Amino acid sequence: MSDTAEETTRGEEFDAFYARTYPALAARAVMLSGNRQNAEDAVQEAYIEAMRRWPHVRACASPEAWVDTTMRRKLSRDGRRWWFRWKPVELTVPAATTATVEETAEALAVLRALGTLPPRQRQVVVMHSLEGMSYAEIAAELGISTGSVGSNLHKARARLTLLLDLSWDVRPDGERLMSADQLDPLCGALRGAAAWLRDGLGTDRHVARQRQGLAARQGLG
């Protein structure tokens, strides 16, 4: 295979990877940062790095996890510069066209509740309760102790549980009913909001616009 043909194949592979993974990654970035512009900047920079190192990244057990980790680290580094200016803010994001009114209302309630959390609490609860990371993994990535992870997670979960009025459903005989997420209603609520964001950010127009921006920043457009 010629160098040109190989480069074309790699480019097509990367484009397919980008289109498949961008919506979910962008949704997680928005939930981590609470700022759509910061989230999209971090995601684009992570994909640029992946593009530059594509032969290595595509050989990873999970290329998406590689980009996800790069995105989180970018948000964490940048966040240290603006956290002292943090204040609750309403997040504007595209709604999924297939979402019901109830699904949209539930997702927006979760996003509003997340927006009331201080940045560190928000990071920890999303990384643990949405992404399934352990205390040790979070501590290593954020450069904090596992005790700090636990403290921030406890505070975040307490506030979100209160704001979202999350509780176990109870049958007349007093037995608990399992929710969609059988172990943790908060995890279920976060996953629902992430799915709603993913579908909204996954519209063809939005993905194409972000891909054009990625190409322009990489000098490929």
Side-chain angles (χ1 to χ4, degrees):
M1 181 182 294
S2 68
D3 290 344
T4 300
E6 185 174 356
E7 288 176 3
T8 298
T9 300
R10 288 180 180 177
E12 291 173 348
E13 287 179 351
F14 181 82
D15 284 349
F17 169 74
Y18 178 88
R20 176 175 58 83
T21 60
Y22 173 84
L25 192 70
R28 293 196 294 273
V30 167
M31 295 184 73
L32 276 166
S33 71
N35 181 296
R36 184 176 171 187
Q37 186 61 58
N38 290 346
E40 291 184 347
D41 286 348
V43 170
Q44 289 226 358
E45 292 194 23
Y47 277 112
I48 287 173
E49 187 65 24
M51 183 187 294
R52 290 172 178 160
R53 304 177 62 184
W54 184 236
H56 164 74
V57 173
R58 72 176 177 177
C60 293
S62 174
E64 183 175 359
W66 189 97
V67 179
D68 192 24
T69 299
T70 302
M71 172 273 290
R72 288 197 311 267
R73 289 174 177 168
K74 169 66 177 172
L75 281 176
S76 182
R77 287 194 302 269
D78 288 355
R80 297 188 186 102
R81 296 199 293 268
W82 51 261
W83 277 8
F84 70 94
R85 300 193 302 270
W86 171 83
K87 61 180 180 180
V89 63
E90 187 74 16
L91 184 65
T92 302
V93 291
T97 56
T98 56
T100 65
V101 173
E102 182 179 13
E103 288 170 339
T104 295
E106 290 176 352
L108 290 176
V110 172
L111 294 174
R112 280 194 294 268
L114 275 175
T116 69
L117 297 179
R120 181 65 80 200
Q121 290 181 26
R122 182 190 190 108
Q123 270 191 319
V124 169
V125 75
V126 171
M127 292 169 76
H128 181 75
S129 298
L130 177 63
E131 301 212 45
M133 296 176 65
S134 69
Y135 282 28
E137 288 170 333
I138 296 170
E141 187 161 310
L142 298 182
I144 59 179
S145 68
T146 55
S148 181
V149 172
S151 175
N152 278 284
L153 181 61
H154 175 77
K155 292 174 183 177
R157 287 182 59 87
R159 181 164 182 79
L160 292 177
T161 299
L162 177 64
L163 291 176
L164 297 173
D165 192 25
L166 295 175
S167 60
W168 294 97
D169 293 328
V170 180
R171 298 194 315 220
D173 61 7
E175 291 295 321
R176 285 175 172 175
L177 291 174
M178 291 300 186
S179 62
D181 186 295
Q182 293 190 356
L183 299 178
D184 190 340
L186 179 57
C187 286
L190 291 174
R191 291 191 189 114
W196 181 86
L197 274 174
R198 178 199 64 211
D199 292 345
L201 293 167
T203 60
D204 290 343
R205 175 186 292 182
H206 187 83
V207 171
R209 185 167 61 248
Q210 294 305 312
R211 181 65 180 87
Q212 290 169 359
L214 175 68
R217 294 177 67 173
Q218 182 66 359
L220 301 177

